[in-house]
Each structure stands twice: as structure tokens, then as C-alpha cells.
């Protein structure tokens, strides 16, 4: 059992500021996307699928890109498939693998959602950061994720 070590005032302030900051950003993003008929979870699937092009993406790679477990990914893809945004098919070279493809309806949904979403991201997040702060945030995020990545696999 690790030794109990409370947070200093400064540590507590930065931790709670981060928690509030990420919750408010996520909630604001969901509110902004709601008008387009695309949820934040939908967008997290649609954007990388659009980048992947006609060949699609392996479901496991799509799940990794979102940081999701297999169960959450399967449920989200099922809902999106029912709405006609994506389709799934067995991978050619792997009997257990699944390929996910963006449908025309999915492309249309992304085209509708993207302009407003990207403007919202810029106005409520990116415009507040200097180039140096952006690089600092990327570096910090990578360090934390490198530490957490082994934990997320267990």
C-alpha cells in the first residue's frame, strides 16, 4: 500500500483546475455539437475515419485513437451503424478483426458538424494558447499518457 501523502495547496489547486477545465470543455463541446446531430463520441469516430479514407480503419485502432475500451467502442459503433454513419465488416486478413468504414451519410454528418465544431474549438481553446503553450501542453499530455498507457491495458 502506497504511503498516504496529501496534496499541497498548490497541487490541489492545479488538480481541481484541470478537472474543472476538462469537464467544462467537454460539456461545452457536447452542447455545441448537439445542434449538428452529432455527439462528441460520434465526432471522435467520424474524424479519424474520414482521415483514413476509403480503406477505413481497424476497429481496434479506432478505439485506441479515442482511448476507449472494446465494449464502449462496440456499443458506439453499433449505434452509429444503426444510424447509417458507419459500416463494419470482417477484416480480410484477420478472422477476428473488424474494419470500420465511413458511409456517405457519415461523411455528410461530419461535413455538417465540422465547421461549427472547429470554430468552437478555436474560439474556446486554441485561441487562448500561445505556440509555446501548445507545445508545452502536447509534451505534458504525452508524458502523462506514456505513464498511464500500461495501466489502460490491464
Amino acid at each position: 500500500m502506497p504511503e498516504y501523502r496529501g496534496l499541497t495547496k498548490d497541487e490541489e489547486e492545479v488538480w481541481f483546475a484541470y478537472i474543472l477545465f476538462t469537464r467544462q470543455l467537454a460539456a461545452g463541446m457536447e452542447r455545441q455539437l448537439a445542434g449538428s446531430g452529432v455527439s462528441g463520441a460520434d465526432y471522435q469516430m467520424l474524424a479519424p475515419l474520414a482521415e483514413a479514407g476509403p480503406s477505413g480503419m481497424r476497429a481496434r485502432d479506432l478505439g485506441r485513437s479515442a482511448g476507449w475500451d472494446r465494449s464502449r467502442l462496440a456499443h458506439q459503433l453499433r449505434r452509429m451503424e444503426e444510424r447509417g454513419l458507419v459500416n463494419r465488416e470482417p477484416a480480410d486478413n484477420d478472422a477476428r478483426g473488424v474494419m470500420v468504414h465511413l458511409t456517405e451519410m457519415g461523411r455528410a454528418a461530419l461535413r455538417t458538424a465540422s465547421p461549427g465544431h472547429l470554430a468552437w474549438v478555436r474560439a474556446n481553446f486554441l485561441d487562448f494558447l500561445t505556440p509555446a503553450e501548445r507545445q508545452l501542453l502536447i509534451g505534458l499530455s504525452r508524458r502523462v499518457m506514456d505513464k498511464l498507457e500500461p495501466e489502460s491495458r490491464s
Side-chain angles (χ1 to χ4, degrees):
M1 183 120 172
E3 174 186 338
Y4 172 77
R5 197 173 131 224
L7 300 178
T8 66
K9 190 82 168 149
D10 180 59
E11 290 169 334
E12 187 176 280
E13 184 178 2
V14 74
W15 178 244
F16 287 119
Y18 168 79
I19 295 296
L20 183 60
F21 161 75
T22 56
R23 285 182 182 160
Q24 292 294 332
L25 270 177
M29 181 187 75
E30 289 294 341
R31 283 190 303 274
Q32 183 280 319
L33 281 169
S36 70
V38 171
S39 70
D42 292 338
Y43 200 92
Q44 280 188 275
M45 300 290 99
L46 294 172
L49 285 170
E51 278 189 35
S55 60
M57 282 181 79
R58 292 180 74 81
R60 75 166 180 239
D61 295 335
L62 187 57
R64 281 189 193 132
S65 76
W68 293 357
D69 63 41
R70 286 176 28 193
S71 176
R72 180 176 182 190
L73 177 67
H75 289 296
Q76 180 65 31
L77 291 176
R78 178 186 47 75
R79 288 188 296 270
M80 292 177 74
E81 195 168 32
E82 289 170 355
R83 291 168 42 218
L85 301 175
V86 300
N87 62 41
R88 297 179 285 178
E89 62 186 35
D92 288 337
N93 57 352
D94 180 358
R96 295 184 310 163
V98 173
M99 294 298 294
V100 183
H101 301 276
L102 196 57
T103 64
E104 281 306 315
M105 191 177 288
R107 278 185 193 76
L110 187 61
R111 277 193 304 272
T112 298
S114 287
H117 176 64
L118 298 178
W120 186 92
V121 168
R122 191 172 303 286
N124 293 285
F125 183 67
L126 294 174
D127 287 350
F128 291 103
L129 302 172
T130 66
E133 289 169 331
R134 291 177 186 184
Q135 292 305 307
L136 181 66
L137 185 55
I138 290 167
L140 172 62
S141 297
R142 286 184 180 149
R143 284 198 320 264
V144 171
M145 293 310 298
D146 286 347
K147 165 73 170 83
L148 295 176
E149 184 64 25
E151 292 177 19
S152 69
R153 290 189 202 126
S154 51

